[in-house]
Amino acid sequence: MNQTIFRANSGQIWQALTTLVVWSMLVTLCGCAKKEEKTHQETVPVTVASVTQRDFPIDVHANGNVAPYTSVAIRALVGGQLTRVSFREGDDVRKGSPLFTIDPRPFQAALAQAQANLNRDQAQLRNAETNARRYAGLVSKD
């Protein structure tokens, strides 16, 4: 095993110590140097007001969660194409107020067809009653 021992002569040690002492003195002198104080002082204007008591609005800006008082499920009684929405999200709605408008044309066509069928059936009823009266007269004559 080779062990190397570093040896310094006394001249090198004194030189290192002297350098260390000089640097520490410089740091101490720079750190303890007298700081110059400002001779000019800034003046700040001060205003005076009388004290009064009054309401002061307080605004609170915060993040939070909003939950509705009540929520309801909306189901249509009939199906169809929506033509108009009568409210915006977040609006208050009242019972009985219209919320959506469904395209009325298919329902109007179905109503017209049902009315036509009713008129046809009433015409057939009148025809059957007329035939029944005529046949009743023929039966009585044998």
Side-chain angles (χ1 to χ4, degrees), residues 2-41:
N2 292 337
Q3 291 183 352
T4 307
I5 299 174
F6 293 101
R7 293 186 185 159
N9 60 21
S10 60
Q12 290 174 340
I13 291 174
W14 281 107
Q15 184 181 8
L17 283 176
T18 305
T19 307
L20 181 64
V21 169
V22 169
W23 276 108
S24 63
M25 289 170 70
L26 283 173
V27 169
T28 304
L29 288 175
C30 291
C32 294
K34 187 175 182 181
K35 295 181 180 177
E36 294 181 23
E37 294 183 19
K38 291 183 179 179
T39 57
H40 179 333
Q41 295 179 351

Side-chain angles (χ1 to χ4, degrees), residues 15-108:
Q15 184 181 8
L17 283 176
T18 305
T19 307
L20 181 64
V21 169
V22 169
W23 276 108
S24 63
M25 289 170 70
L26 283 173
V27 169
T28 304
L29 288 175
C30 291
C32 294
K34 187 175 182 181
K35 295 181 180 177
E36 294 181 23
E37 294 183 19
K38 291 183 179 179
T39 57
H40 179 333
Q41 295 179 351
E42 292 185 27
T43 58
V44 178
V46 177
T47 59
V48 178
S50 60
V51 176
T52 58
Q53 184 175 2
R54 63 181 175 168
D55 291 336
F56 186 76
I58 298 174
D59 292 336
V60 177
H61 300 280
N63 292 333
N65 293 330
V66 177
Y69 292 118
T70 57
S71 61
V72 293
I74 299 173
R75 288 173 293 185
L77 297 176
V78 295
Q81 185 76 24
L82 289 179
T83 58
R84 191 176 79 192
V85 177
S86 302
F87 68 96
R88 288 190 211 129
E89 187 173 341
D91 284 351
D92 290 334
V93 293
R94 291 182 176 75
K95 183 177 181 179
S97 62
L99 301 177
F100 301 100
T101 303
I102 298 175
D103 185 14
R105 292 176 295 182
F107 304 110
Q108 290 169 345

